[in-house]
Amino acid sequence: MDTIAETPPTALIAELGARARAAAVTLAELPAPAKAQGLRAAAAAIRADADAILTANARDVAAGETNGLSGALLDRLRLDPARLEGAAAGVEAVAALADPVGEVISTSERPNGLQLSRVRVPIGVIGIIYESRPNVTADAAALCVMSGNAAVLRGGSEAVHSNRAMHAAFARGLADAGLPENAVQLVPTTDRAAVGAMLKADGAIDLVVPRGGKSLVARVQEEARVPVLAHLDGINHTYIDGAADPDMARDLAVNAKMRRTGICGATETLLIDTAFADPAPILSALADTGCELRGDPDIRAIEPRVVAANAEDWDTEYLDSILSVKRVDGVVGAMAHIAAHGSHHTDAIVTGDAATAERFLNGVDSAIVMWNASTQFADGGEFGLGAEIGIATGRLHARGPVALEGLTTYKWVVRGTGQTRP
């Protein structure tokens, strides 16, 4: 890390942005094999530095425990050999993806003979602001490089040592492969003012992507003078329809909540149709895993371990072993509840009735809707996109898991033969 770390935040981000802009110009012209080679070298460097990265992570986890980080945040922060190998493998998976840059989206010819085409191009410089999860350092960097963008990364202070170790390995791998050393930069300070400087760095940063809790996303959306690609809470629902297979419903409900409770794809509210004959085995299976159930009176009457839900529970992303449970009147009641309390992230229906499923899939306004599948599949890797930079819940530019294509824009290319406009 050089003396730029001592630069005041606004000047610091301007300098990082200028370096990134120069790197982005080079990246935009690189062929796919060169970018892929750089990512494979970065993955190899992460593996080579595994001991150093895990040691740095252990330091962060110990500090997090001392500082009282929640179990969910500690889970996101913690690396082990398997998770680190997953990060390296994720970088390699991105390297194996088709390069979207240069793809011709559409072509047309005007009556005067002008030939028009829309062609995918990189966005330019992407700023990523994230919390807790050091694997984002590798995921976001890989996606930006492969899509021809330079990245300016600002990780959370709770993962400062992990992020620095991960970034050092990644950057060394890129440089060894001949890619610009400033293609991926890590903001070298934990000063929160650097976040504010990134949000106001119009001209230096082209797009900001926040990955973190509600307070981070809210701050970014409130303060940003740069376009933002963000998602809100993952208040995800699994709805068990009256026509659901009981065993499938039980297995999906448990997996959707308890596989990993700290990820944004975890189900936070379980809705059960009043026509579903016997919810007791589902509730019992969830409670037996150690999940705290908070339910309405109908649910409490079925399972004695359920505690009373309050109004806030239906609007809460727990990211923990807690689940809200409510009985609803059919798919219409489920859709009404989701419309009132969901966050447009991921919602699923469990049913054997295809018509009911299609009504749910068409009527629920979420970035991801599922039929007979666990909401835990809400992940770019599971969608075949390699890693993801986040799951966007807005309606513009990109929606759902954002990977390579979501980090591109397009330009119009016009080819003529000397036409002049009358």
Side-chain angles (χ1 to χ4, degrees):
M1 207 168 300
D2 57 24
T3 56
I4 193 174
E6 303 171 6
T7 307
T10 299
L12 168 65
I13 298 304
E15 175 62 21
L16 294 179
R19 295 181 181 184
R21 183 71 63 195
V25 171
T26 299
L27 285 174
E29 297 179 350
L30 285 179
K35 293 184 288 187
Q37 180 181 352
L39 293 186
R40 288 192 292 269
I46 289 172
R47 292 190 177 103
D49 285 7
D51 289 344
I53 294 170
L54 292 174
T55 297
N57 181 251
R59 184 177 176 185
D60 287 330
V61 170
E65 291 172 340
T66 299
N67 294 330
L69 282 186
S70 68
L73 288 179
L74 285 171
D75 177 62
R76 291 184 172 204
L77 173 61
R78 185 174 286 109
L79 291 174
D80 57 28
R83 287 188 179 182
L84 187 58
E85 170 56 29
V91 173
E92 290 178 327
V94 173
L97 295 174
D99 185 358
V101 177
E103 175 193 349
V104 178
I105 302 170
S106 65
T107 61
S108 62
E109 183 172 342
R110 301 297 297 151
N112 61 6
L114 286 178
Q115 295 182 347
L116 281 64
S117 57
R118 287 190 299 145
V119 181
R120 288 200 184 280
V121 295
I123 290 173
V125 177
I126 311 293
I128 299 101
I129 303 169
Y130 54 104
E131 298 173 330
S132 302
R133 296 174 63 176
N135 63 293
V136 173
T137 301
D139 290 349
L143 287 167
C144 286
V145 169
M146 194 63 192
S147 57
N149 298 287
V152 177
L153 310 177
R154 203 287 187 180
S157 59
E158 68 280 359
V160 59
H161 301 101
S162 307
N163 290 334
R164 287 173 178 171
M166 184 80 80
H167 171 259
F170 194 103
R172 188 181 73 252
L174 291 183
D176 288 347
L179 270 65
E181 62 179 356
N182 292 320
V184 178
Q185 299 174 89
L186 183 70
V187 176
T189 176
T190 58
D191 187 344
R192 286 174 58 86
V195 173
M198 289 180 69
L199 300 180
K200 295 176 175 61
D202 187 24
I205 294 176
D206 298 305
L207 179 72
V208 167
V209 182
R211 291 191 63 173
K214 179 184 290 187
S215 61
L216 170 65
V217 175
R219 180 189 177 190
V220 169
Q221 293 181 321
E222 180 179 348
E223 297 182 18
R225 300 295 179 267
V226 176
V228 175
L229 184 66
H231 77 254
L232 300 178
D233 297 356
I235 304 177
N236 307 320
H237 300 77
T238 293
Y239 163 59
I240 298 173
D241 183 58
D245 176 83
D247 291 338
M248 179 189 294
R250 180 197 62 228
D251 293 346
L252 287 178
V254 171
N255 182 268
K257 174 71 254 187
M258 296 300 292
R259 173 188 165 270
R260 282 190 69 185
T261 60
I263 65 172
C264 67
T267 285
E268 303 291 17
T269 296
L270 182 67
L271 303 174
I272 304 177
D273 190 353
T274 54
F276 185 76
D278 188 12
I282 297 173
L283 301 175
S284 177
L286 284 161
D288 287 347
T289 66
C291 182
E292 177 185 326
L293 301 177
R294 301 180 182 180
D296 64 8
D298 288 345
I299 295 296
R300 295 185 68 200
I302 298 170
E303 168 56 60
R305 288 174 285 183
V306 179
V307 301
N310 60 41
E312 294 181 356
D313 284 313
W314 312 118
D315 300 308
T316 298
E317 183 185 30
Y318 299 112
L319 298 174
D320 203 349
S321 300
I322 305 170
L323 180 68
S324 302
V325 190
K326 183 179 183 179
R327 299 215 81 171
V328 294
D329 290 328
V331 69
V332 173
M335 291 167 62
H337 181 95
I338 292 169
H341 302 282
S343 61
H344 307 289
H345 192 293
T346 301
D347 297 292
I349 181 173
V350 185
T351 185
D353 187 306
T356 299
E358 290 303 321
R359 185 172 186 182
F360 182 93
L361 297 175
N362 292 328
V364 172
D365 181 24
S366 294
I368 303 170
V369 288
M370 298 181 171
W371 175 18
N372 290 345
S374 169
T375 59
Q376 297 260 340
F377 282 109
D379 175 85
E382 295 295 332
F383 281 26
L385 303 176
E388 70 180 33
I389 208 162
I391 294 181
T393 55
R395 293 176 176 82
L396 299 179
H397 176 61
R399 203 174 194 204
V402 178
L404 295 180
E405 185 177 306
L407 294 178
T408 63
T409 183
Y410 63 83
K411 65 182 176 183
W412 288 91
V413 178
V414 181
R415 293 180 173 90
T417 55
Q419 291 89 337
T420 59
R421 184 171 178 176

